[in-house]
Amino acid sequence: MSDSGLPDGFADLDPFVADWALPTRAQRYEARLSKPYDDLVSFYDAVAPRAEEAIAYLNGLDINDLPDDAEKLLQLLYSMILVSYAVNVFKQNRIPDSGAAFFDMVAEPAV
């Protein structure tokens, strides 16, 4: 485990743990909206190239009994997915032309 609590081999992602290893979708979406767009791009550019390796690592574990370091890695992947829309599709933090509309999930995925 690295100093931030990520699994060994993922130390390069340590700088993103405090801001992006968040337990709920609502917290991840709030982070997406509250951070400068350039921070989203930096985060995405760091995590996306490591995503397949991270998924392969996580696939070797029991999803229902993840150790804390693996849980943080999974949360980084969830955040990367949420940020990917902003970076690759919208080119901004918010969904274009959505005004004040907001979708609030009432349940988290079971993991």
Side-chain angles (χ1 to χ4, degrees):
M1 186 180 344
S2 63
D3 289 339
S4 70
L6 288 176
D8 289 337
F10 293 96
D12 58 311
L13 303 180
D14 285 351
F16 303 102
V17 169
D19 289 337
W20 294 105
L22 303 170
T24 68
R25 185 211 172 272
Q27 289 171 312
R28 293 186 286 273
Y29 192 72
E30 178 57 34
R32 181 178 117 178
L33 295 180
S34 67
K35 300 201 178 307
Y37 178 72
D38 289 343
D39 288 1
L40 274 61
V41 173
S42 295
F43 169 68
Y44 179 81
D45 287 348
V47 177
R50 304 290 315 278
E52 286 188 32
E53 181 183 356
I55 292 167
Y57 173 83
L58 293 168
N59 280 342
L61 303 173
D62 179 356
I63 192 75
N64 295 310
D65 191 28
L66 290 176
D68 290 342
D69 61 345
E71 184 73 28
K72 286 183 183 180
L73 184 61
L74 180 62
Q75 291 168 350
L76 285 180
L77 289 174
Y78 287 159
S79 289
M80 188 268 310
I81 293 165
L82 189 72
V83 166
S84 72
Y85 293 100
V87 172
N88 293 318
V89 178
F90 308 136
K91 309 293 187 209
Q92 62 185 11
N93 300 48
R94 293 190 171 275
I95 299 170
D97 303 319
S98 61
F102 183 79
F103 175 75
D104 192 15
M105 286 183 67
V106 295
E108 290 288 323
V111 173

